[in-house]
């Protein structure tokens, strides 16, 4: 930033003539704009200029520049309006337009003209009085011009090919000639204290920042003779305080047109003397700029300090003589519609009103027991936002946020304002926000210097708080209503997603994806298999995928949270502590140091600094409780120094209840599926026997998702030397009852066949066993046969087909014929008269046996049927048994696009 001041004369303006027109925008009742180009007779008596970079901190520096300049000129009456307008215009330039801002202050005999120029000239001008052209207050740009129209006496916008220049003129109120400020007569005991002789050190600093003049009082105050300090930079002696939120230092302050404040000077004895300084930027006879510094001891600041501004009244008169709403006077016009914008502008106005270094606003919870930080300026907002402090921090009015409080020095009462711990703030004034007697929030302004605030400032701040409390509460209720509607929509969508899957791993992934980044920056899910098991880290997710492995590594090296069934979120500090210590270890290793704090984290590749930052904020744990049992924990985390809002935690608690039930349902479904699949495997033979001279191939496809036991089965088993039994059947229905009949049939076949019974006798006894099951019995279609390989290479089969699809025989010449006749099915009648048929398979012949899931494959009204199966089989001449079975299955799958609705089994035997 560069500045300059020319007092007492009217210098030539280096800008183009069009850059400083004296134009006035007015409108009549018809909305027609008039431009007043009459020349003004005002004489410019002083000028201050500054340039600001397109960064956010430039706005605060610009406010300070305008405030110091106007106070130096003695224009304290219009400082507030000038600062408000300048802040808006510079924000438009450096933040919204993203260009440098050129700020020019001109002092005239009747007021002050301030110009803000940027390098984005193509933006439109909202015309005063025209609602269509003023635009919506919700728009990002244009508010500064609207404020100019509402506050300034005259304003305008000038354009050049490369610049856009907005100017406004503020007229000084009439006051007695020669009087800058005055105070009432006070009793002697109320006058400021001073030493027997008040010494005012006069120090002059040249354009390079070196001391060029040092008077006798300066020698007495600091112990340096003039020849010892002349030519040395003042920065070598100054102990400059750090001001959060600004970049102003001693070098910048010496270049400002006027500056007033406190710092320290290091004396010859090495001790720092607190001083109060008043800086004025001047030019010498050669035209070189220099700064004159008047210094007194800090406790004698009343000698130099500019008197406080007069508190504003309840109402002010506008230029047109109409009364203005006090809320609009304080907050500016137009007021932000959103809560965050309103709160942020409130703290900025409060800070400017009391010349503070920082300000903050906290909102009360519904039960009025805690205050939540919602807006701040001049403080590390990322660390403070959504942090909570109790309403009643101690006994008495100074320990309660329900009453105004002034702390002259926080060092004397450590912890009185927890929000300001470690910020360097010394004095603070806080006032409550109340609506109909109910506490809704707290507003505070703080400064780095002690003793800055008194009851007078508390009254002014309380006046402002009373004006904005109702608007803040209304905006807060609107935000809560929108948040509740959004929460309901979120929970409805989450419930639909969780109900749409019964897969455990997918449920875990959905839980994490619904919380990140909507509710938290990162998430970890712990699961508990049973009451005797420890929590297991099952899933980790971060909005930055590159940090997931680091967080997983960190969490795996610390003990999991305790599975407490108590509902609600509880803070878990272990990840933040582990991340801090790991980051410290990493930093020490990078510096070649050893040692450091000890922790349970084992050696190896530790988390990076990015990982430590990602989990260094607030971490909360919510139990996953389903059917009165803790089945896991949902862990949510924020990055370094961030906190969770209470509304977010309540929403996360609702989500955790739904997620826990979905996760437990997925567990039960997985267990049921595993049981069904295990039972299904037990109903099928573990392996097929090898038969010399005969190829045997089986394909089995169960329908559905595997949660039901199928009714189809097959078996091939040895009976005696050279004889083998084979069977393929289908039990009516599915589920446990069908599985009971399936198991009975397969094991009874093996037992009865090995007793030497013939095929019809085996099936008759099996029929009796099925009927003995009573209500659990199911009818059964069954194809049973016995196979013997003959000496000439052929195979003899004795077959009984009890209600089952007929087996098909494929000869070498491609002809297909049924290999058996249909007979009654099992499980229906007591007395069955079954008979067996003998079939001889020549070398190269194939016998194909299938269940009805193959022949009854449907596509709309079409069905594959026995004829369709025979047509496919005719194309399998010369293929092996495995190839025949695979071709049949492929043809069945291609016959229809839908998934099969019935189990399918294919048994193919080929004589080699």
């Amino acid at each position: 930033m560069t500045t300059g001041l020319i007092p007492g004369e009217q210098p030539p303006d280096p800008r183009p003539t069009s850059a400083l027109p004296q134009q006035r925008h007015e409108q009549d009742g018809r909305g027609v704009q008039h431009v007043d180009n009459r020349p003004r007779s005002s004489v410019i008596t002083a000028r201050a200029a500054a340039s600001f970079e397109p960064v956010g901190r430039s706005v605060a520096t610009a406010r300070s520049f305008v405030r110091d300049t106007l106070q130096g000129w003695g224009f304290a009456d219009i400082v507030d309006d000038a600062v408000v307008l300048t802040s808006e215009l510079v924000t438009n330039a450096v933040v919204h337009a993203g260009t440098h801002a050129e700020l020019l202050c001109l002092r005239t005999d009747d007021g002050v003209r301030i110009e803000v120029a940027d390098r984005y000239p193509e933006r439109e001008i909202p015309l005063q009085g025209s609602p269509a052209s003023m635009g919506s207050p919700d728009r990002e740009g244009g508010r500064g011009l609207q404020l100019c129209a509402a506050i300034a006496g005259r304003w305008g916008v000038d354009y050049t090919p490369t610049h856009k220049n907005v100017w406004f003129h503020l007229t000084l109120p009439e006051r007695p000639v020669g009087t800058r400020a005055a105070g009432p007569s006070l009793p002697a005991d109320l006058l400021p204290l001073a030493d027997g002789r008040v010494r005012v050190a006069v120090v002059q600093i040249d354009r390079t920042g070196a001391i060029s003049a040092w008077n006798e009082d300066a020698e007495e105050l600091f112990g340096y003779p003039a020849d010892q300090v002349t030519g040395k930079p003042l920065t070598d002696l100054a102990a400059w305080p750090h001001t959060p939120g600004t970049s102003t230092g001693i070098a910048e302050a010496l270049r400002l047109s006027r500056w007033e404040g406190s710092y320290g000077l290091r004396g010859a004895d090495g001790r720092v003397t607190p001083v109060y300084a008043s800086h004025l930027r001047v030019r010498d006879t050669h035209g070189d700029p220099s700064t004159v510094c008047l210094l007194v001891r800090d406790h004698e600041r009343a000698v130099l300090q500019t008197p406080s501004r007069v508190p504003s009244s309840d109402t002010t008169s506008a230029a047109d003589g109409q009364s203005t709403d006090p809320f609009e006077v304080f907050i500016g016009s137009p007021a932000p519609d959103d809560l965050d914008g309103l709160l942020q502008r409130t703290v900025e106005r409060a800070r400017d009103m009391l010349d503070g270094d920082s300000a903050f606003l906290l909102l009360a919870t519904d039960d009025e027991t805690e205050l939540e930080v919602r807006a701040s300026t001049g403080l590390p907002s990322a660390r403070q936002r959504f942090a909570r402090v109790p309403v009643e921090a101690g006994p008495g009015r100074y320990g309660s946020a329900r009453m105004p409080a002034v702390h002259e020095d926080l060092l004397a009462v450590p912890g009185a304002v927890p929000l300001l711990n470690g910020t360097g703030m010394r004095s603070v004034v806080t006032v409550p926000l109340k609506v109909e007697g109910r506490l809704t929030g707290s507003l505070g302004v703080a400064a780095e210097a002690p003793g800055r605030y008194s009851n007078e400032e508390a009254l002014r701040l309380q006046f402002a708080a009373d004006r904005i409390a109702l608007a803040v509460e209304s905006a807060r209720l609107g935000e809560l209503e929108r948040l509740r509607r959004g929460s309901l929509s979120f929970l409805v969508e989450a419930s639909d997603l969780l109900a749409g899957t019964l897969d455990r791993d997918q449920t875990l992934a959905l839980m994490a994806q619904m919380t990140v980044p909507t509710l938290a920056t990162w998430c970890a899910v712990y699961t508990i298999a049973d009451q005797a098991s420890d929590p297991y880290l099952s899933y980790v997710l971060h909005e930055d995928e590159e940090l997931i492995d680091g967080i997983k590594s960190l969490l795996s090296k610390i003990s999991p949270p305790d599975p407490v069934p108590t509902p609600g979120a509880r803070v878990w500090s272990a990840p933040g502590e582990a991340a801090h210590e790991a980051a410290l270890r990493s930093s020490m290793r990078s510096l070649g140091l050893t040692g450091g704090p000890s922790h349970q984290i084992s050696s190896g590749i530790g988390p990076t600094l990015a990982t430590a930052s990602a989990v260094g904020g607030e971490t909360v744990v919510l139990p996953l409780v389903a059917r009165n049992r803790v089945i896991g924990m949902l862990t949510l985390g924020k990055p370094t120094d961030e906190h969770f809002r209470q509304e977010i935690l309540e929403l996360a608690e609702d989500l955790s209840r739904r997620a826990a039930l979905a996760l437990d349902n997925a567990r039960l479904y997985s267990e049921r599926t595993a049981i069904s699949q295990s039972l299904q495997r037990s109903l099928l033979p573990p392996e097929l026997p090898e038969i010399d001279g005969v190829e045997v191939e089986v394909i089995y496809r169960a329908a559905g998702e595997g949660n039901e036991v199928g009714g189809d089965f097959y078996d091939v088993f040895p009976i005696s030397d050279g004889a083998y039994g084979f069977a393929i059947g289908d039990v009516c229905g599915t589920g446990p009852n069908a599985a009971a009949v399936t198991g009975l049939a397969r094991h009874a076949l093996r037992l009865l066949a090995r007793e030497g019974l013939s095929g019809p006798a085996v099936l008759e006894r099996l029929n009796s066993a099925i009927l003995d099951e009573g209500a659990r019995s199911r009818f059964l279609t069954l194809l049973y046969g016995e196979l013997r390989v003959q000496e000439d290479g052929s195979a003899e089969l004795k077959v009984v087909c009890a209600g089952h699809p007929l087996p098909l025989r494929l000869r070498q010449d491609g002809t297909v014929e049924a290999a058996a006749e249909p007979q009654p099915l099992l499980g229906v009648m007591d007395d069955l008269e079954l008979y067996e048929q003998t079939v001889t398979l020549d070398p190269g012949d194939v016998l194909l046996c299938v269940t009805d899931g193959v022949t009854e494959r449907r596509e709309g009204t079409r069905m594959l049927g026995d004829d369709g199966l025979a047509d496919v089989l005719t194309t399998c001449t010369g293929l092996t048994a495995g190839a025949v079975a695979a071709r049949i299955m492929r043809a069945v799958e291609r016959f229809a696009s839908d998934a099969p609705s019935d189990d399918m089994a294919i048994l193919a035997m080929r004589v080699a």
Side-chain angles (χ1 to χ4, degrees), residues 472-492:
V472 168
E473 179 66 4
S474 177
R476 186 184 73 89
L477 292 177
E479 182 193 62
L480 288 178
E481 180 62 23
R482 289 190 296 271
L483 184 60
R484 289 190 180 99
R485 289 199 299 266
S487 299
L488 289 176
S489 300
F490 174 79
L491 291 175
V492 168

Side-chain angles (χ1 to χ4, degrees), residues 598-900:
S598 60
H599 197 268
Q600 298 176 357
I601 297 180
S602 60
S603 59
I605 301 178
T608 64
L609 295 178
T611 302
S613 177
V615 300
E618 188 175 49
T619 303
V620 297
V621 178
L622 298 103
L624 298 175
V625 181
R627 298 174 176 88
N628 298 321
R629 186 174 72 89
V630 180
I631 63 172
M633 283 90 68
L634 177 64
T635 303
L636 306 179
K638 286 281 190 178
T640 301
D641 295 331
E642 287 195 20
H643 299 266
F644 284 97
R645 293 184 60 178
Q646 185 63 26
E647 295 83 2
I648 296 298
L649 294 180
E650 293 172 357
L651 180 58
E653 186 177 357
D654 288 339
L655 176 62
S656 67
R657 287 194 290 266
R658 290 164 170 78
L661 188 59
L663 185 61
D664 199 48
N665 288 339
R667 177 187 62 83
L668 294 175
Y669 178 80
S670 299
E671 292 178 355
R672 180 182 177 185
T673 301
I675 293 173
S676 298
Q677 291 174 348
S678 177
L679 179 57
Q680 184 72 68
R681 288 191 298 269
S682 70
L683 300 178
L684 300 175
E687 60 184 8
L688 298 177
E690 293 185 1
I691 304 176
D692 293 337
V694 178
E695 299 174 0
V696 179
E697 183 65 30
V698 174
I699 296 179
Y700 181 85
R701 293 284 189 273
E705 299 180 357
N707 58 333
E708 291 286 351
V709 181
D712 290 10
F713 70 95
Y714 65 88
D715 198 4
V716 179
F717 56 92
I719 298 176
S720 61
D721 294 339
Y724 292 86
F726 64 92
I728 183 169
D730 186 2
V731 178
C732 174
T734 58
N737 290 335
V741 176
T742 301
L744 172 65
R746 193 175 77 84
H747 293 93
L749 285 175
R750 288 197 173 203
L751 180 63
L752 294 173
R754 288 170 178 171
E755 291 294 328
L757 299 176
S758 63
V762 169
L763 268 60
E764 290 171 359
R765 284 168 173 74
L766 176 60
N767 180 64
S768 299
I770 294 175
L771 293 175
D772 289 343
E773 290 292 311
R776 296 185 302 171
S777 66
R778 292 284 191 276
F779 63 80
L780 168 67
T781 67
L782 179 65
L783 172 65
Y784 174 74
E786 296 181 1
L787 179 149
R788 290 179 182 271
V789 179
Q790 304 300 313
E791 294 180 357
D792 60 356
S794 63
E796 182 184 77
L797 284 74
K798 295 181 179 181
V799 182
V800 180
C801 185
H804 199 77
L806 299 180
L808 299 179
R809 175 182 180 180
L810 172 64
R811 297 182 181 273
Q812 294 185 23
D813 58 3
T815 59
V816 175
E817 61 184 3
E821 297 177 353
Q823 301 185 56
L825 51 77
L826 307 181
V828 178
M829 298 180 294
D830 291 332
D831 296 329
L832 288 180
E833 294 183 2
L834 302 176
Y835 58 91
E836 63 183 9
Q837 296 174 273
T838 302
V839 179
T840 301
L841 297 180
D842 296 327
D845 290 353
V846 175
L847 183 72
L848 177 66
C849 309
V850 300
T851 59
D852 59 3
V854 174
T855 57
E856 295 179 2
R857 177 73 164 149
R858 294 180 180 273
E859 173 67 20
T861 59
R862 298 187 308 118
M863 186 173 71
L864 179 63
D866 295 335
D867 294 338
L869 180 62
D871 292 340
V872 176
L873 185 59
T874 57
T875 65
C876 299
T877 304
L879 299 181
T880 63
V884 170
R887 178 169 291 188
I888 297 297
M889 178 57 71
R890 186 161 57 251
V892 171
E893 291 175 342
R894 291 177 177 177
F895 185 80
S897 58
D898 296 337

Side-chain angles (χ1 to χ4, degrees), residues 476-556:
R476 186 184 73 89
L477 292 177
E479 182 193 62
L480 288 178
E481 180 62 23
R482 289 190 296 271
L483 184 60
R484 289 190 180 99
R485 289 199 299 266
S487 299
L488 289 176
S489 300
F490 174 79
L491 291 175
V492 168
E493 182 179 357
S495 299
D496 289 342
L497 290 173
L498 291 172
T501 179
L502 289 172
D503 182 80
R504 175 182 177 278
D505 294 337
Q506 189 173 1
T507 302
L508 290 173
L510 283 175
M511 290 171 57
Q513 291 168 4
M514 285 185 293
T515 58
V516 177
T518 305
L519 305 181
T521 305
W522 63 273
C523 167
V525 183
Y526 290 85
T527 56
I528 303 175
D530 52 60
Q531 298 294 337
S533 302
D534 294 330
Y536 174 75
L537 182 61
S538 299
Y539 201 91
V540 176
L541 183 65
H542 190 280
E543 60 183 7
D544 184 354
E545 294 183 356
E546 295 181 355
L547 298 177
I548 294 178
D549 292 339
I551 296 177
K552 187 181 299 183
S553 174
L554 178 69
L555 294 178
S556 64

Side-chain angles (χ1 to χ4, degrees), residues 228-283:
Q228 188 175 347
V229 296
T230 300
K232 290 186 176 181
L234 181 63
T235 54
D236 291 351
L237 305 180
W240 190 260
H242 171 64
T243 304
T246 68
S247 61
T248 304
I250 181 64
E252 289 79 6
L254 292 175
R255 289 196 296 267
L256 296 176
S257 62
R258 180 66 187 264
W259 185 89
E260 190 174 312
S262 299
Y263 53 90
L265 278 182
R266 189 172 292 102
D269 57 359
R271 301 177 63 181
V272 175
T273 302
V275 297
Y276 191 84
S278 177
H279 297 176
L280 179 65
R281 188 79 162 166
V282 299
R283 285 194 307 167

